[in-house]
Amino acid sequence: MKFCEKLQKLRKEKGYSQEQLADLLEVSRQSVSKWESGTTYPEMDKLLMLCKIFNVTLDDLTNDEVTDTLIKEKNKGTFNNIIYAILEMISKSVSMFKQMNKKELSKCITELIIVVILLMFCAIPFGYVDDLARDIFINFGHKAYSIIFSIWTFFTSIIYLVLFITVLVYFFKTRYLDKFEMKEVKEEDLLSDDKEIIEDHHEKIKGSKKEHSFILFDVLGSIFNVVLKFCLIIFIVPVVVTFFALSFAFIVAIILFLKGITYPGIIIILLGAILIAGLMMEISIRFLVNAKLKFQRLFWVFVSGLMLCSIGSAVATFEFAETEFIYTAPENITKGSYDFNFVMQDDMYIAFNYHYIGRNMRYEVDNTLGNNVNIVANYYDDYISLNAQESDDKEISIMTWESPYVFKNTYRLLLDNLKEKKLYNYTELYTVELIVRASEENISKLKSNRAKALKEEEEREKVELELYYQNQNQFYVKK
């Protein structure tokens, strides 16, 4: 293909008129017309500017053996071209709306609203799919359900949004924008036939103000490009972290599978999630370096990832259905016991650092203890350590903290339970049962003193909160 033919095709593909391209090159429209007719040939500096405008190499533009198909294929799918195509479509849409009369504009808006309403009804089947997924994922337990269902709804929302925008843009382009472009091309061809009229017209407006709409869009495109790439840099960090975290979890799941913990559904889900995370990471990196996107391959990778997640979810549903959930501590773990003895004081009360200890505390009357208070603590000493001490304000503090081997013990216990397809309430391993033995009079004092201490603590917190708000108000008044 000759240079003149390639130049004309590239110009029309970009949506430029001869005059708009001439303004960008700072030459006359007649010069562009002569280049496209093959009468003259541009100088080297203009050729380099044309290469930059059309995003092609000098060889692509001047070598007659390079076809327009090769040029288009070379630039297809790059990030800059995608951004420019979006801005170019916006520019053409603005031009089209400016040239429409009130009747045409009203018709266009009405049809777009109808399409939007129809597309909104398409959200109904997506809602049914989400409800079905909710019924499946609810069997995984509350925490797992919250995470998995959130990921599921995120992906279904993305799919619906892409479908919504694609259909709406396709309708608008085929129904209005393509017709507008064909009309512009016909008008341009008619004007090009009468060169004398065009030359006279160009001489009259030569000194007038040039239109810079496309230059403006080039600037906006560059700014948008920089902002979007900055956002991608921020976005890609958690994507990369997620990808490696999923990969680590996948390796762990494989190792556990080899150890006899047979939950292949989780492995399949992780594999699908890795594919999708890797896909997002690849797209982000290709956008950053403006590399070509292979849409067909990316599409099939995305579909494969979704299918693996769906298949894995179905398999995991049956696997967890066979797993027995027991809401008590594991039966084979025995509790340790520890006794504390104190001499009763008038203001003495019992305090503890975790509120759930109080739910497992009970009083037993034993008048034989006289003025002594006996506290028995039953707890899982493989998982927590416990101590009790009397402070200066007559407070008996029951303090607990995790055992140094808690992770190792929990890991071994969980592996053994999963092999048996059983899951327990492991939070019970960190609870403490307190039995307070004292005379009836002393038990009454302990309860009364504790209620008094809680009330004083509540009033103290209330005063501190009021002081905090007063200080905040004074700060804002000063500002």
Side-chain angles (χ1 to χ4, degrees), residues 1 10 66 93 169 185 201 317 330 337 348 365 371 396 405 451 469:
M1 181 179 286
L10 288 170
V66 179
S93 301
V169 171
V185 170
H201 175 70
T317 301
S337 182
M348 181 176 285
V365 177
N371 205 34
I396 300 176
Y405 303 105
Y469 283 124

Side-chain angles (χ1 to χ4, degrees), residues 446-458:
L446 288 171
K447 290 180 178 180
S448 176
N449 292 340
R450 174 161 173 77
K452 182 180 177 182
L454 290 175
K455 187 175 180 181
E456 290 176 353
E457 184 179 354
E458 184 180 342

Side-chain angles (χ1 to χ4, degrees), residues 163-181:
L163 177 67
F164 188 99
I165 294 173
T166 302
V167 173
L168 185 63
V169 171
Y170 181 78
F171 173 82
F172 175 70
K173 188 176 184 301
T174 55
R175 176 72 173 161
Y176 288 99
L177 207 55
D178 288 349
K179 293 180 180 179
F180 172 73
E181 289 178 4

Side-chain angles (χ1 to χ4, degrees), residues 97-114:
F97 287 135
K98 284 182 179 179
Q99 295 184 29
M100 279 182 169
N101 56 40
K102 291 183 179 179
K103 185 178 179 181
E104 292 173 336
L105 188 61
S106 176
K107 180 184 176 183
C108 176
I109 294 173
T110 303
E111 289 184 0
L112 289 174
I113 291 173
I114 292 172

